Amino acid sequence: MREQSETTDRNFQLILIKPSHYDDDGYVIRWWRAMIPSNSLAALYGIAADCAERRVLGPGVGIEITVIDETNTRVNTSALLRQLKTNDNFGMVALVGVQSNQYPRALDIARPFREAGIPVSMGGFHVSGCLSMLDGHAVGLDECREMGISMFAGEVEGRLDKVLQDAASGTLAPLYNFMNDLPSIEGAAVPFLPKTNVAQTLGLSTSFDAGRGCPYQCSFCTIINVQGRKSRFRTADDVEKLVRMNWAQGIHKFFITDDNFARNKDWEAIFDRLIELREKDGIPLGLMIQVDTLCHKIPNFIEKSKRAGVTRVFIGLENVNPDNLTAAKKNQNKITEYRKMLLAWKAQGIMTLAGYILGFPADTPDTIRRDIAIIQHELPLDVIEFFVLTPLPGSEDHQTLFRKGVAMDPDLNIYDVEHVCTEHPKMSKQEWESIYQEAWSLYYSPEHMKTLLRRAVATGVPLARLVKVLVSFATTVPLENVHPLQSGLLRLKHPSERRPDMPRERALVFWPRFVGETITKHLKLGGTIARLAVTALMISRDKNAKTYMDQALTPVGDHEDETLELFTKTAGGQAAVSHIKKVNELTHAHRAG
């Protein structure tokens, strides 16, 4: 997508590229329609469009913006080089929101542009995280310096003017480091993407961040070290503005990317404004939000979520073993609150998704299998997203291993939270990788998916919506060997997009195999869709479907901690229950006194 400012004598070509990364066969992961929109791309486009409107390069110079999300659009390097050449190479390439697993691909994208003398800048979690937590030469950053790529660390609000001006004048600095000066986002240019870009995602959905930063200290997290522990927020006016901008082009579904929207101090003002837009202005908002496991304790939070248009909620559950949560410094997660919290969302008919990390120090294949069975039986969760515990550059975990000299895999491409990157105290690499693969088939067994559909009817979760999500999460890992969050509709490949260090395959070999694989995968996918659709239809026609009840849907009882395996199967679970009982005894004694 190209967006141009009003007619001028000369236009600066700003090419925004959000890189994908390589699969295990070395091919770029790209889809006809990708699942998740890029908020980094939306945020940077919004800021760049504001720069163009304000004429930051001078009254006679416009800014023409090209937007490419490589998860759904091929980076046609030759065409982009021609576009720049016809403009006397007056422009730059900005590699946006580059994560560690995308860093090798980002360098490969940058290389031909740098060889042609085009200014290239790179920002995102890898550069920012490494500069925040390690020395300035750690984890491949010297490759940027050697190639002449300008690195941008921090957030670009209020700073893009300078970068564009330097690029236009040929004086782009090697490094722009704002990690110690995080900007306010109140009143800043809001995230936005033109509809032609949003249309490349499933469901025509886009994203925005209502806030940044997190006060918690999870050791595996990079967000706290890149966006800071001090929270910063957009106002309700900002959110209304971006909603109306998107609604004007027919877009009304949003992923609010805040790591924990429940901790946004202005959540209620934002929800009230969204409720007004839905109920008074008739904008049919559909939202997905991310929250913590204590959000149900905030009065009216879940009820207003429903009215604001929330249809899906992602919860950072991470684990059901308190010992593992303590090891990761995620002490804010209380397993004694899990069922209350999940049932509160169920009461509103909102689909629940949870992140679950495999590979904490206490994990073994057997304990992971046990814990998945406990979740299936006792927690009213709809969808689980499994992740491999990964020492991501920018996290405390990575910093600790780096400083101790502990071996970590040198290939950043696999730091995608689905590959094993370092050793585990109780599992071999093969065992760890195998249980990750097995976890998906264990949770998304035909029998358990049938249970999930029964629970959906009983709690008012739209059945067709859940079927769509289950299809993706049950099939993506076995069929595509990528995480469902990296998935989409119709995998696309091109021989030219293979990693440079892997041999280029001949067209007569590549294309027949690709077509054959695509047909085979879609036949299997069609079978899964058919089976789930038939199961859902039968359940929906069952006259007793709405009264279905099982252990997970049972209301929280006074003494369930004495019987549920969630509390009895781990030492940490038993300790958590004992702590709650002591607190209750002391509270009652104090009141009695």
Short mmCIF file of all heavy atoms in Angstrom, two decimals, residues 223-272:
data_model
loop_
_atom_site.label_atom_id
_atom_site.label_comp_id
_atom_site.label_asym_id
_atom_site.label_seq_id
_atom_site.Cartn_x
_atom_site.Cartn_y
_atom_site.Cartn_z
N ILE A 223 8.90 -7.04 27.47
CA ILE A 223 8.12 -5.79 27.44
C ILE A 223 8.55 -4.84 28.54
O ILE A 223 8.71 -3.63 28.32
CB ILE A 223 6.62 -6.11 27.53
CG1 ILE A 223 6.15 -6.78 26.23
CG2 ILE A 223 5.79 -4.86 27.82
CD1 ILE A 223 4.71 -7.27 26.27
N ILE A 224 8.77 -5.38 29.74
CA ILE A 224 9.10 -4.50 30.87
C ILE A 224 10.44 -3.80 30.67
O ILE A 224 10.68 -2.73 31.24
CB ILE A 224 9.11 -5.28 32.20
CG1 ILE A 224 10.03 -6.51 32.10
CG2 ILE A 224 7.71 -5.68 32.59
CD1 ILE A 224 10.12 -7.32 33.39
N ASN A 225 11.33 -4.38 29.86
CA ASN A 225 12.64 -3.80 29.65
C ASN A 225 12.73 -2.97 28.37
O ASN A 225 13.74 -2.32 28.13
CB ASN A 225 13.69 -4.91 29.61
CG ASN A 225 13.68 -5.75 30.87
OD1 ASN A 225 13.66 -5.20 31.98
ND2 ASN A 225 13.66 -7.06 30.73
N VAL A 226 11.67 -3.01 27.57
CA VAL A 226 11.63 -2.22 26.34
C VAL A 226 10.64 -1.07 26.48
O VAL A 226 10.93 0.08 26.16
CB VAL A 226 11.27 -3.11 25.12
CG1 VAL A 226 11.03 -2.25 23.88
CG2 VAL A 226 12.37 -4.12 24.86
N GLN A 227 9.45 -1.37 27.00
CA GLN A 227 8.43 -0.34 27.17
C GLN A 227 8.40 0.23 28.59
O GLN A 227 7.67 1.18 28.85
CB GLN A 227 7.05 -0.89 26.81
CG GLN A 227 6.93 -1.29 25.35
CD GLN A 227 5.53 -1.70 24.97
OE1 GLN A 227 4.66 -1.95 25.83
NE2 GLN A 227 5.27 -1.78 23.68
N GLY A 228 9.20 -0.35 29.47
CA GLY A 228 9.33 0.19 30.81
C GLY A 228 8.30 -0.36 31.78
O GLY A 228 7.30 -0.96 31.40
N ARG A 229 8.55 -0.10 33.05
CA ARG A 229 7.63 -0.56 34.10
C ARG A 229 6.66 0.54 34.53
O ARG A 229 5.75 0.30 35.31
CB ARG A 229 8.44 -1.06 35.30
CG ARG A 229 9.18 -2.35 34.98
CD ARG A 229 9.81 -2.99 36.18
NE ARG A 229 10.36 -4.28 35.80
CZ ARG A 229 11.53 -4.74 36.21
NH1 ARG A 229 12.27 -4.00 37.00
NH2 ARG A 229 11.95 -5.93 35.84
N LYS A 230 6.90 1.73 34.03
CA LYS A 230 5.95 2.82 34.29
C LYS A 230 4.95 2.86 33.16
O LYS A 230 5.30 3.00 31.99
CB LYS A 230 6.70 4.16 34.40
CG LYS A 230 5.77 5.32 34.68
CD LYS A 230 6.55 6.64 34.76
CE LYS A 230 5.60 7.81 35.01
NZ LYS A 230 6.32 9.11 35.07
N SER A 231 3.67 2.74 33.51
CA SER A 231 2.64 2.67 32.49
C SER A 231 2.33 4.05 31.92
O SER A 231 2.32 5.06 32.63
CB SER A 231 1.36 2.06 33.08
OG SER A 231 1.60 0.74 33.50
N ARG A 232 2.12 4.07 30.60
CA ARG A 232 1.73 5.29 29.88
C ARG A 232 0.50 4.96 29.05
O ARG A 232 0.37 3.86 28.54
CB ARG A 232 2.89 5.74 28.97
CG ARG A 232 4.13 6.19 29.74
CD ARG A 232 5.38 6.12 28.89
NE ARG A 232 5.78 4.76 28.59
CZ ARG A 232 6.12 4.32 27.39
NH1 ARG A 232 6.09 5.14 26.34
NH2 ARG A 232 6.48 3.07 27.20
N PHE A 233 -0.40 5.94 28.90
CA PHE A 233 -1.70 5.61 28.33
C PHE A 233 -2.16 6.61 27.27
O PHE A 233 -1.80 7.78 27.31
CB PHE A 233 -2.76 5.57 29.44
CG PHE A 233 -2.39 4.69 30.60
CD1 PHE A 233 -1.97 5.23 31.80
CD2 PHE A 233 -2.45 3.31 30.48
CE1 PHE A 233 -1.61 4.42 32.86
CE2 PHE A 233 -2.10 2.48 31.54
CZ PHE A 233 -1.68 3.05 32.74
N ARG A 234 -2.99 6.08 26.37
CA ARG A 234 -3.77 6.96 25.49
C ARG A 234 -5.05 7.33 26.22
O ARG A 234 -5.51 6.61 27.11
CB ARG A 234 -4.12 6.24 24.17
CG ARG A 234 -2.91 5.80 23.38
CD ARG A 234 -3.29 5.30 21.99
NE ARG A 234 -2.17 4.60 21.37
CZ ARG A 234 -1.17 5.18 20.73
NH1 ARG A 234 -1.15 6.50 20.62
NH2 ARG A 234 -0.18 4.47 20.21
N THR A 235 -5.64 8.43 25.84
CA THR A 235 -6.88 8.87 26.47
C THR A 235 -8.08 8.24 25.75
O THR A 235 -7.96 7.69 24.66
CB THR A 235 -7.01 10.39 26.41
OG1 THR A 235 -7.15 10.79 25.03
CG2 THR A 235 -5.80 11.08 27.02
N ALA A 236 -9.23 8.38 26.38
CA ALA A 236 -10.47 7.92 25.74
C ALA A 236 -10.70 8.68 24.44
O ALA A 236 -11.22 8.12 23.46
CB ALA A 236 -11.65 8.11 26.70
N ASP A 237 -10.30 9.96 24.40
CA ASP A 237 -10.43 10.75 23.16
C ASP A 237 -9.55 10.15 22.06
O ASP A 237 -9.96 10.08 20.89
CB ASP A 237 -10.02 12.20 23.40
CG ASP A 237 -11.04 12.97 24.23
OD1 ASP A 237 -12.20 12.50 24.34
OD2 ASP A 237 -10.68 14.03 24.77
N ASP A 238 -8.32 9.74 22.42
CA ASP A 238 -7.43 9.12 21.45
C ASP A 238 -8.06 7.85 20.87
O ASP A 238 -8.02 7.61 19.66
CB ASP A 238 -6.09 8.75 22.09
CG ASP A 238 -5.29 9.95 22.56
OD1 ASP A 238 -5.46 11.04 21.98
OD2 ASP A 238 -4.50 9.80 23.51
N VAL A 239 -8.61 7.04 21.76
CA VAL A 239 -9.20 5.77 21.32
C VAL A 239 -10.42 6.01 20.44
O VAL A 239 -10.60 5.36 19.41
CB VAL A 239 -9.56 4.89 22.54
CG1 VAL A 239 -10.33 3.65 22.11
CG2 VAL A 239 -8.29 4.50 23.30
N GLU A 240 -11.24 6.98 20.83
CA GLU A 240 -12.41 7.29 19.99
C GLU A 240 -11.95 7.76 18.61
O GLU A 240 -12.55 7.38 17.58
CB GLU A 240 -13.27 8.37 20.64
CG GLU A 240 -14.45 8.76 19.77
CD GLU A 240 -15.37 9.79 20.39
OE1 GLU A 240 -15.18 10.11 21.59
OE2 GLU A 240 -16.27 10.29 19.68
N LYS A 241 -10.91 8.55 18.57
CA LYS A 241 -10.41 9.06 17.29
C LYS A 241 -10.00 7.92 16.36
O LYS A 241 -10.39 7.88 15.19
CB LYS A 241 -9.22 9.99 17.53
CG LYS A 241 -8.58 10.53 16.25
CD LYS A 241 -7.37 11.41 16.58
CE LYS A 241 -6.69 11.91 15.31
NZ LYS A 241 -5.51 12.77 15.61
N LEU A 242 -9.25 6.96 16.88
CA LEU A 242 -8.77 5.88 16.01
C LEU A 242 -9.92 4.95 15.62
O LEU A 242 -9.93 4.38 14.52
CB LEU A 242 -7.61 5.13 16.66
CG LEU A 242 -7.84 4.29 17.91
CD1 LEU A 242 -8.25 2.87 17.57
CD2 LEU A 242 -6.55 4.25 18.75
N VAL A 243 -10.88 4.76 16.53
CA VAL A 243 -12.05 3.94 16.18
C VAL A 243 -12.83 4.59 15.05
O VAL A 243 -13.22 3.93 14.07
CB VAL A 243 -12.95 3.72 17.41
CG1 VAL A 243 -14.31 3.14 16.98
CG2 VAL A 243 -12.28 2.78 18.41
N ARG A 244 -13.05 5.89 15.14
CA ARG A 244 -13.81 6.58 14.10
C ARG A 244 -13.04 6.62 12.77
O ARG A 244 -13.63 6.50 11.70
CB ARG A 244 -14.15 8.01 14.55
CG ARG A 244 -15.19 8.04 15.68
CD ARG A 244 -15.75 9.44 15.89
NE ARG A 244 -16.70 9.49 16.98
CZ ARG A 244 -17.99 9.14 16.88
NH1 ARG A 244 -18.46 8.69 15.71
NH2 ARG A 244 -18.79 9.23 17.91
N MET A 245 -11.72 6.77 12.84
CA MET A 245 -10.91 6.74 11.61
C MET A 245 -11.06 5.39 10.91
O MET A 245 -11.20 5.31 9.68
CB MET A 245 -9.44 6.99 11.95
CG MET A 245 -9.10 8.42 12.32
SD MET A 245 -7.41 8.60 12.96
CE MET A 245 -6.43 8.10 11.55
N ASN A 246 -11.05 4.32 11.69
CA ASN A 246 -11.18 2.99 11.11
C ASN A 246 -12.61 2.71 10.65
O ASN A 246 -12.83 2.10 9.61
CB ASN A 246 -10.72 1.93 12.11
CG ASN A 246 -9.22 1.76 12.12
OD1 ASN A 246 -8.64 1.13 11.25
ND2 ASN A 246 -8.57 2.36 13.12
N TRP A 247 -13.59 3.15 11.42
CA TRP A 247 -14.99 2.93 11.05
C TRP A 247 -15.32 3.65 9.75
O TRP A 247 -16.13 3.18 8.94
CB TRP A 247 -15.91 3.37 12.17
CG TRP A 247 -17.37 3.18 11.89
CD1 TRP A 247 -18.35 4.13 11.95
CD2 TRP A 247 -18.03 1.95 11.53
NE1 TRP A 247 -19.57 3.58 11.64
CE2 TRP A 247 -19.42 2.24 11.38
CE3 TRP A 247 -17.61 0.65 11.32
CZ2 TRP A 247 -20.35 1.28 11.02
CZ3 TRP A 247 -18.54 -0.31 10.95
CH2 TRP A 247 -19.89 0.00 10.81
N ALA A 248 -14.64 4.77 9.51
CA ALA A 248 -14.87 5.52 8.26
C ALA A 248 -14.45 4.70 7.04
O ALA A 248 -14.93 4.95 5.93
CB ALA A 248 -14.10 6.84 8.30
N GLN A 249 -13.56 3.72 7.23
CA GLN A 249 -13.17 2.85 6.12
C GLN A 249 -13.73 1.43 6.29
O GLN A 249 -13.27 0.48 5.67
CB GLN A 249 -11.65 2.82 5.94
CG GLN A 249 -10.86 2.40 7.15
CD GLN A 249 -9.35 2.35 6.86
OE1 GLN A 249 -8.90 2.59 5.74
NE2 GLN A 249 -8.56 2.02 7.88
N GLY A 250 -14.73 1.31 7.17
CA GLY A 250 -15.45 0.05 7.30
C GLY A 250 -14.81 -0.98 8.20
O GLY A 250 -15.15 -2.17 8.12
N ILE A 251 -13.91 -0.57 9.08
CA ILE A 251 -13.23 -1.51 9.98
C ILE A 251 -13.70 -1.28 11.41
O ILE A 251 -13.69 -0.15 11.90
CB ILE A 251 -11.70 -1.33 9.88
CG1 ILE A 251 -11.24 -1.70 8.47
CG2 ILE A 251 -10.98 -2.17 10.92
CD1 ILE A 251 -9.83 -1.29 8.16
N HIS A 252 -14.12 -2.37 12.06
CA HIS A 252 -14.68 -2.22 13.40
C HIS A 252 -14.19 -3.30 14.37
O HIS A 252 -14.68 -3.37 15.50
CB HIS A 252 -16.21 -2.25 13.34
CG HIS A 252 -16.77 -3.49 12.69
ND1 HIS A 252 -17.08 -4.62 13.41
CD2 HIS A 252 -17.07 -3.75 11.40
CE1 HIS A 252 -17.54 -5.54 12.58
NE2 HIS A 252 -17.55 -5.06 11.36
N LYS A 253 -13.23 -4.12 13.95
CA LYS A 253 -12.70 -5.15 14.84
C LYS A 253 -11.25 -4.83 15.19
O LYS A 253 -10.44 -4.51 14.31
CB LYS A 253 -12.81 -6.53 14.18
CG LYS A 253 -14.25 -7.03 14.11
CD LYS A 253 -14.33 -8.47 13.69
CE LYS A 253 -14.15 -8.64 12.21
NZ LYS A 253 -14.41 -10.03 11.77
N PHE A 254 -10.94 -4.91 16.49
CA PHE A 254 -9.64 -4.46 16.98
C PHE A 254 -9.05 -5.46 17.97
O PHE A 254 -9.76 -6.03 18.80
CB PHE A 254 -9.76 -3.11 17.69
CG PHE A 254 -10.28 -2.00 16.84
CD1 PHE A 254 -11.64 -1.76 16.76
CD2 PHE A 254 -9.42 -1.18 16.13
CE1 PHE A 254 -12.14 -0.73 15.98
CE2 PHE A 254 -9.91 -0.14 15.35
CZ PHE A 254 -11.28 0.08 15.27
N PHE A 255 -7.74 -5.61 17.88
CA PHE A 255 -6.97 -6.31 18.91
C PHE A 255 -6.27 -5.23 19.72
O PHE A 255 -5.40 -4.53 19.20
CB PHE A 255 -5.98 -7.26 18.26
CG PHE A 255 -5.03 -7.95 19.22
CD1 PHE A 255 -5.36 -8.14 20.55
CD2 PHE A 255 -3.80 -8.40 18.77
CE1 PHE A 255 -4.49 -8.78 21.43
CE2 PHE A 255 -2.91 -9.04 19.63
CZ PHE A 255 -3.26 -9.22 20.97
N ILE A 256 -6.67 -5.06 20.99
CA ILE A 256 -6.01 -4.09 21.86
C ILE A 256 -4.77 -4.78 22.43
O ILE A 256 -4.87 -5.72 23.22
CB ILE A 256 -6.94 -3.61 22.99
CG1 ILE A 256 -8.21 -3.00 22.39
CG2 ILE A 256 -6.23 -2.58 23.87
CD1 ILE A 256 -9.21 -2.50 23.43
N THR A 257 -3.60 -4.33 22.02
CA THR A 257 -2.37 -5.10 22.24
C THR A 257 -1.72 -4.86 23.60
O THR A 257 -0.68 -5.47 23.88
CB THR A 257 -1.34 -4.79 21.14
OG1 THR A 257 -0.99 -3.40 21.21
CG2 THR A 257 -1.89 -5.12 19.76
N ASP A 258 -2.30 -4.01 24.45
CA ASP A 258 -1.73 -3.81 25.78
C ASP A 258 -1.45 -5.16 26.43
O ASP A 258 -2.32 -6.04 26.44
CB ASP A 258 -2.71 -3.06 26.68
CG ASP A 258 -3.06 -1.68 26.16
OD1 ASP A 258 -3.11 -1.51 24.94
OD2 ASP A 258 -3.29 -0.79 26.98
N ASP A 259 -0.28 -5.31 27.00
CA ASP A 259 0.08 -6.57 27.64
C ASP A 259 -0.90 -6.91 28.76
O ASP A 259 -1.13 -8.08 29.07
CB ASP A 259 1.51 -6.48 28.18
CG ASP A 259 2.05 -7.83 28.59
OD1 ASP A 259 1.97 -8.76 27.77
OD2 ASP A 259 2.55 -7.96 29.71
N ASN A 260 -1.50 -5.88 29.36
CA ASN A 260 -2.45 -6.12 30.45
C ASN A 260 -3.41 -4.93 30.54
O ASN A 260 -3.18 -3.99 31.30
CB ASN A 260 -1.71 -6.31 31.77
CG ASN A 260 -2.63 -6.74 32.89
OD1 ASN A 260 -3.85 -6.81 32.74
ND2 ASN A 260 -2.05 -7.01 34.04
N PHE A 261 -4.48 -4.99 29.76
CA PHE A 261 -5.40 -3.86 29.71
C PHE A 261 -6.08 -3.62 31.06
O PHE A 261 -6.47 -2.50 31.38
CB PHE A 261 -6.47 -4.11 28.63
CG PHE A 261 -7.39 -2.94 28.43
CD1 PHE A 261 -6.96 -1.80 27.78
CD2 PHE A 261 -8.70 -2.99 28.90
CE1 PHE A 261 -7.81 -0.70 27.61
CE2 PHE A 261 -9.56 -1.91 28.71
CZ PHE A 261 -9.10 -0.76 28.07
N ALA A 262 -6.18 -4.66 31.89
CA ALA A 262 -6.84 -4.51 33.19
C ALA A 262 -6.07 -3.58 34.12
O ALA A 262 -6.63 -3.07 35.08
CB ALA A 262 -7.02 -5.88 33.85
N ARG A 263 -4.78 -3.38 33.84
CA ARG A 263 -3.98 -2.49 34.68
C ARG A 263 -3.88 -1.08 34.11
O ARG A 263 -3.11 -0.25 34.62
CB ARG A 263 -2.58 -3.06 34.89
CG ARG A 263 -2.59 -4.42 35.58
CD ARG A 263 -3.27 -4.39 36.93
NE ARG A 263 -4.01 -5.64 37.19
CZ ARG A 263 -4.88 -5.82 38.16
NH1 ARG A 263 -5.14 -4.83 38.98
NH2 ARG A 263 -5.50 -6.96 38.31
N ASN A 264 -4.63 -0.81 33.06
CA ASN A 264 -4.70 0.53 32.50
C ASN A 264 -5.56 1.38 33.43
O ASN A 264 -6.75 1.08 33.65
CB ASN A 264 -5.31 0.48 31.10
CG ASN A 264 -5.27 1.80 30.37
OD1 ASN A 264 -5.51 2.85 30.96
ND2 ASN A 264 -4.99 1.76 29.08
N LYS A 265 -4.98 2.42 34.01
CA LYS A 265 -5.72 3.22 34.99
C LYS A 265 -6.97 3.88 34.39
O LYS A 265 -7.90 4.23 35.10
CB LYS A 265 -4.82 4.28 35.61
CG LYS A 265 -4.37 5.38 34.65
CD LYS A 265 -3.49 6.41 35.34
CE LYS A 265 -3.02 7.49 34.39
NZ LYS A 265 -4.12 8.27 33.79
N ASP A 266 -6.97 4.01 33.06
CA ASP A 266 -8.11 4.64 32.39
C ASP A 266 -9.01 3.62 31.69
O ASP A 266 -9.76 3.97 30.78
CB ASP A 266 -7.60 5.65 31.35
CG ASP A 266 -6.88 6.83 31.99
OD1 ASP A 266 -7.27 7.23 33.10
OD2 ASP A 266 -5.92 7.33 31.39
N TRP A 267 -8.94 2.35 32.12
CA TRP A 267 -9.71 1.32 31.43
C TRP A 267 -11.20 1.65 31.41
O TRP A 267 -11.88 1.44 30.40
CB TRP A 267 -9.48 -0.05 32.08
CG TRP A 267 -10.12 -0.21 33.45
CD1 TRP A 267 -9.51 -0.03 34.65
CD2 TRP A 267 -11.48 -0.56 33.73
NE1 TRP A 267 -10.40 -0.23 35.68
CE2 TRP A 267 -11.62 -0.56 35.14
CE3 TRP A 267 -12.59 -0.87 32.95
CZ2 TRP A 267 -12.82 -0.88 35.78
CZ3 TRP A 267 -13.80 -1.17 33.58
CH2 TRP A 267 -13.91 -1.18 34.98
N GLU A 268 -11.71 2.20 32.53
CA GLU A 268 -13.15 2.42 32.60
C GLU A 268 -13.57 3.57 31.69
O GLU A 268 -14.60 3.49 31.01
CB GLU A 268 -13.59 2.70 34.04
CG GLU A 268 -15.10 2.67 34.21
CD GLU A 268 -15.51 2.47 35.65
OE1 GLU A 268 -14.74 2.82 36.56
OE2 GLU A 268 -16.64 1.97 35.86
N ALA A 269 -12.77 4.63 31.65
CA ALA A 269 -13.09 5.75 30.76
C ALA A 269 -13.07 5.30 29.30
O ALA A 269 -13.92 5.70 28.49
CB ALA A 269 -12.12 6.90 30.99
N ILE A 270 -12.09 4.45 28.97
CA ILE A 270 -12.00 3.95 27.60
C ILE A 270 -13.17 3.03 27.29
O ILE A 270 -13.81 3.16 26.23
CB ILE A 270 -10.66 3.21 27.39
CG1 ILE A 270 -9.50 4.22 27.43
CG2 ILE A 270 -10.65 2.44 26.08
CD1 ILE A 270 -8.13 3.60 27.44
N PHE A 271 -13.49 2.12 28.20
CA PHE A 271 -14.63 1.24 27.99
C PHE A 271 -15.94 2.03 27.89
O PHE A 271 -16.79 1.74 27.03
CB PHE A 271 -14.73 0.21 29.11
CG PHE A 271 -13.97 -1.06 28.85
CD1 PHE A 271 -13.74 -1.96 29.88
CD2 PHE A 271 -13.50 -1.37 27.59
CE1 PHE A 271 -13.05 -3.15 29.65
CE2 PHE A 271 -12.79 -2.54 27.35
CZ PHE A 271 -12.57 -3.44 28.38
N ASP A 272 -16.10 3.04 28.74
CA ASP A 272 -17.32 3.85 28.68
C ASP A 272 -17.46 4.53 27.32
O ASP A 272 -18.56 4.61 26.76
CB ASP A 272 -17.32 4.90 29.79
CG ASP A 272 -17.61 4.31 31.17
OD1 ASP A 272 -18.11 3.18 31.22
OD2 ASP A 272 -17.33 4.98 32.18
#
